[in-house]
Amino acid sequence: MKRIFLLGSYLNPLNMKETLVKIEDIIERRIPVQHVVINASKINLMAEDAELAEIVNAAPLINADGQSIVWAGRFLGYDIPERVAGIDLFVNLVEQSAQKGYRVFYFGATEEVVSAVVEKHQAMYPNLQVAGYRNGYFEEHESDEIALSIRESKADIVFVAFSSPKKEYWIHAYKETMNVPFVMGVGGSFDVVAGVTKRAPKWMQKTGLEWFYRFVQEPRRMFKRYFVGNLRFFKKVIQERRSN
């Protein structure tokens, strides 16, 4: 599988269709795989956290979640076909699972949200096989029990709705215990699907302004991540361009 290295991270420059084909192959192989996505914020986190960087770069499949990664990659001379946003991949995988008969497990968010997501997906896809679901509120000592329950569910795919870097750490630590072919961190996707938070309009997604839409929704919480973080990311891109 083609792979490039930019801004401290590996990346598989795939479009959505190619990504779904790769995931199908991963599930058929039955070897536990941790999937990750990168965006400007993740690149900044990886620069500060060597262990996170190691976890991300060890993942066999890494997609460009943010439009910033696509633009930065092209600016640095790489051919990156498109953004494969985590939430879009999540939605597409649920549909694919209903078609292929894959068993899916939902893990994260509040009990109300995760149950709403499961109910919505089952209504949309009557053939969808839900292996199970669990909210994301637990004590660390419960992690082994949770991972074992996921293993017993015989899931083919697990969607983990935590924030970064918690989801990367947790999946990495319990991937083998879960013994699930494909485990994917989906961040706040459950909240979007359940209607708790709104996603930016399509035109903002396509023009790379989805971050600004999120900032407007939660300016205090998102100021450091987006304004300070985006400036740091921009500096990294310029530095890498000059060093090449």
Side-chain angles (χ1 to χ4, degrees):
M1 191 190 308
K2 186 179 178 182
R3 192 166 246 217
I4 61 176
F5 188 80
L6 75 164
L7 304 169
S9 177
Y10 284 111
L11 174 68
N12 298 105
L14 305 172
N15 60 30
M16 179 65 75
K17 184 177 180 180
E18 291 168 334
T19 299
L20 290 169
V21 170
K22 293 296 182 186
I23 293 171
E24 186 176 344
D25 181 57
I26 287 169
I27 293 172
E28 288 177 357
R29 292 185 183 187
R30 312 303 301 176
I31 299 172
V33 162
Q34 176 174 4
H35 170 269
V36 296
V37 296
I38 57 172
N39 50 34
S41 178
K42 187 76 63 66
I43 291 295
N44 289 339
L45 285 172
M46 290 169 67
E48 299 173 348
D49 187 336
E51 188 175 354
L52 174 63
E54 186 176 344
I55 290 171
V56 170
N57 284 321
L61 181 57
I62 306 172
N63 285 116
D65 174 67
Q67 188 62 38
S68 58
I69 298 295
V70 176
W71 288 339
R74 291 173 180 173
F75 180 69
L76 294 170
Y78 299 106
D79 181 18
I80 302 176
E82 67 180 15
R83 173 192 184 200
V84 180
I87 186 169
D88 294 328
L89 182 57
F90 167 47
V91 170
N92 277 281
L93 270 177
V94 171
E95 181 178 4
Q96 185 181 57
S97 295
Q99 295 170 352
K100 299 285 185 179
Y102 299 150
R103 293 173 57 78
V104 297
F105 195 105
Y106 301 74
F107 179 27
T110 65
E111 185 69 21
E112 182 181 11
V113 166
V114 68
S115 59
V117 173
V118 171
E119 184 177 341
K120 183 173 183 177
H121 281 168
Q122 286 184 313
M124 292 172 65
Y125 308 107
N127 293 329
L128 181 66
Q129 296 184 45
V130 177
Y133 68 91
R134 192 199 189 284
N135 67 63
Y137 292 83
F138 60 96
E139 299 295 330
E140 184 55 42
H141 70 268
E142 298 178 273
S143 288
D144 279 312
E145 182 182 344
I146 292 168
L148 285 171
S149 70
I150 293 173
R151 183 189 189 105
E152 291 168 1
S153 76
K154 306 295 184 184
D156 297 298
I157 299 175
V158 179
F159 301 114
V160 181
F162 305 162
S163 59
S164 290
K166 182 180 179 181
K167 65 177 180 287
E168 285 83 9
Y169 275 110
W170 197 92
I171 294 170
H172 176 73
Y174 296 99
K175 179 182 68 177
E176 301 301 328
T177 303
M178 289 187 287
N179 194 35
V180 172
F182 189 79
V183 187
M184 174 187 179
V186 296
S189 297
F190 288 4
D191 287 334
V192 175
V193 173
V196 175
T197 58
K198 290 184 178 180
R199 195 176 179 194
K202 289 287 186 182
W203 72 267
M204 295 188 85
Q205 295 175 36
K206 291 179 180 179
T207 55
L209 288 173
E210 191 164 13
W211 68 270
F212 186 71
Y213 186 85
R214 289 191 63 193
F215 167 73
V216 171
Q217 288 182 310
E218 300 179 272
R220 289 188 178 181
R221 190 169 80 87
M222 294 296 181
F223 179 81
K224 184 176 181 180
R225 173 176 176 175
Y226 288 128
F227 281 90
V228 178
N230 285 354
L231 181 60
R232 287 178 56 205
F233 177 78
F234 179 72
K235 288 180 177 178
K236 290 181 192 301
V237 175
I238 297 301
Q239 289 171 353
E240 184 151 330
R241 174 68 177 262
R242 288 175 175 170
S243 65
N244 289 341

